[in-house]
Structure formats: structure tokens, C-alpha cells
Amino acid sequence: GQSLEQPSEVTAVEGAIVQINCTYQTSGFYGLSWYQQHDGGAPTFLSYNGLDGLEETGRFSSFLSRSDSYGYLLLQELQMKDSASYFCAVDSGYSTLTFGKGTMLLVSP
Amino acid sequence: NAGVTQTPKFQVLKTGQSMTLQCAQDMNHNSMYWYRQDPGMGLRLIYYSASEGTTDKGEVPNGYNVSRLNKREFSLRLESAAPSQTSVYFCASSAGDGANVLTFGAGSRLTVL
């Protein structure tokens, strides 16, 4: 089976930095992705890590440690519009993604 | 480009009724997916089609059927709807290679009474 664990909710203030962790147990592993979903909207792709290390895309960065079965999404200079749910997802090589249950990020002024 | 288009956006059914959710993508993607999303449960894969002509079960296939009509279209059918199938359904597609980035449709909110 496959399982992913991430916190259900994280709160932060505008301008702060927040880290959303994801640990996984899967039968195969090709990479870890992150998706953002605003309330009532569709999930949209944020980042992908196929190898260990840090990937940076603007204010967002994602990290992967394959040996620890662990990754995180780092959001810097938080803005109100970053309030959303964030999902980690594992590609275990069967043409599909398995998603975590999501972390709701609440950004306050 | 429209991306992934799914219809209808909203539907209310009575228990035992049938319906089909339609999905089409215009990105020439090989792979297509149907997920359902329930509060606190994340996105769970119902069925997927890795390429035209193939379909496979995902995590929660019971009560559903799918058809990959052609490369563009992938439909999801509920033969006899049950209240447990009340959910938001998302269709997605991907090129099926590399980072396997999924592009999602806007979602279909289904209520079964």
C-alpha cells in the first residue's frame, strides 16, 4: 500500500515563511510533487522533486530526501493569496499519482 | 487552450439513477484520470487510462465505469448512484512522462440524495 502524511492545517502571518512537511511510504518511488488548491478550485501543479535536494521556483521551494522518505514545501514572503490547501503526491511509477490528504494553509494579516 | 474541460459542473441525482461525467483535453496528453475529493480525504484515484485504448482501476473503483473514447475524451459513469458517491469529481490529464504533471479540470460537484 501507499501512504502519505502531512499536517492537516498550518497558520502563518503575511510576510512569514512556512514549511509544510510530507512523509511517505510507497512500494515504488519516482518523485514527489506538490499541488495547490484554492477553495472551490482545481488543484494546480507547483513543483516536482525527482532527486534529492532543493528545487526553487520563485517564492516556493520544495525539498526531497529519498533516504528519509521525506519532503517539504517552503513558502516564503507569504501573501494572503497563498491561503489554500497544499497536497503532496507520490509518483510510484505506475502512471498515477497518490495524493496526501492535504494541508490547509491560513495566512492572516 | 481550454486545457481540461469536464461537464456537468453540478448535478443532483436520486439514489439508483445513472449518469455520465464527461471529460475532454486538448493538450494531446496520453494519460487521463478520474479522482474524487471528499472533505479530509484528499484526492483518491477512481480509474485511469495510461494511453488510448487502456483503462485501469485506481484506489476506489467500485460503483464506477470508465470509457476512453479516444485520445481526447475519458468519461466516468455511475450506473446506480448511491449517497456514498456524493463528492467532487476531478478529471485530469498528463503527458505521462517525466515529472508526470497533472492538469486538472474545474471539477464536477455531484450530490446523490
Side-chain angles (χ1 to χ4, degrees), chain A residues 5-97:
Chain A
E5 295 291 332
Q6 53 181 128
S8 59
E9 187 174 305
V10 173
T11 59
V13 297
E14 266 189 308
I17 299 172
V18 72
Q19 179 173 312
I20 300 174
N21 298 320
C22 175
T23 58
Y24 58 87
Q25 288 185 314
T26 61
S27 54
F29 183 84
Y30 275 65
L32 185 72
S33 299
W34 290 91
Y35 285 75
Q36 179 191 59
Q37 183 181 32
H38 285 100
D39 195 29
T44 57
F45 173 77
L46 286 178
S47 69
Y48 172 81
N49 293 74
L51 301 174
D52 284 0
L54 194 67
E55 294 285 340
E56 298 180 76
T57 308
R59 294 186 297 113
F60 294 0
S61 303
S62 58
F63 172 83
L64 174 66
S65 169
R66 295 170 72 117
S67 61
D68 294 322
S69 299
Y70 164 75
Y72 66 72
L73 180 69
L74 190 74
L75 298 87
Q76 302 182 75
E77 301 172 17
L78 280 173
Q79 302 175 9
M80 296 293 290
K81 67 178 181 179
D82 297 328
S83 290
S85 291
Y86 293 84
F87 296 87
C88 58
V90 165
D91 179 353
S92 50
Y94 300 105
S95 302
T96 65
L97 293 187

Side-chain angles (χ1 to χ4, degrees), chain B residues 68-82:
Chain B
R68 183 75 183 266
L69 304 170
N70 48 55
K71 191 170 185 178
R72 291 186 64 249
E73 299 173 286
F74 188 41
S75 62
L76 178 73
R77 182 161 178 84
L78 288 71
E79 290 290 353
S80 179

Side-chain angles (χ1 to χ4, degrees), chain B residues 34-63:
Chain B
W34 278 105
Y35 285 88
R36 62 176 287 174
Q37 185 173 37
D38 303 293
M41 297 296 291
L43 292 149
R44 293 184 292 169
L45 183 65
I46 305 170
Y47 270 93
Y48 67 101
S49 171
S51 62
E52 187 178 357
T54 69
T55 60
D56 286 286
K57 295 178 180 179
E59 180 186 354
V60 289
N62 290 347

Side-chain angles (χ1 to χ4, degrees), chain B residues 4-94:
Chain B
V4 178
T5 303
Q6 52 179 114
T7 57
K9 285 186 167 39
F10 300 95
Q11 184 72 49
V12 178
L13 292 176
K14 294 181 179 178
T15 297
Q17 287 185 318
S18 62
M19 78 158 298
T20 300
L21 299 176
Q22 307 286 354
C23 176
Q25 52 91 9
D26 62 2
M27 295 170 286
N28 200 35
H29 282 169
N30 291 317
S31 303
M32 298 186 74
Y33 311 84
W34 278 105
Y35 285 88
R36 62 176 287 174
Q37 185 173 37
D38 303 293
M41 297 296 291
L43 292 149
R44 293 184 292 169
L45 183 65
I46 305 170
Y47 270 93
Y48 67 101
S49 171
S51 62
E52 187 178 357
T54 69
T55 60
D56 286 286
K57 295 178 180 179
E59 180 186 354
V60 289
N62 290 347
Y64 305 95
N65 285 301
V66 290
S67 295
R68 183 75 183 266
L69 304 170
N70 48 55
K71 191 170 185 178
R72 291 186 64 249
E73 299 173 286
F74 188 41
S75 62
L76 178 73
R77 182 161 178 84
L78 288 71
E79 290 290 353
S80 179
S84 61
Q85 294 177 304
T86 294
S87 188
V88 179
Y89 292 85
F90 286 99
C91 177
S93 69
S94 74

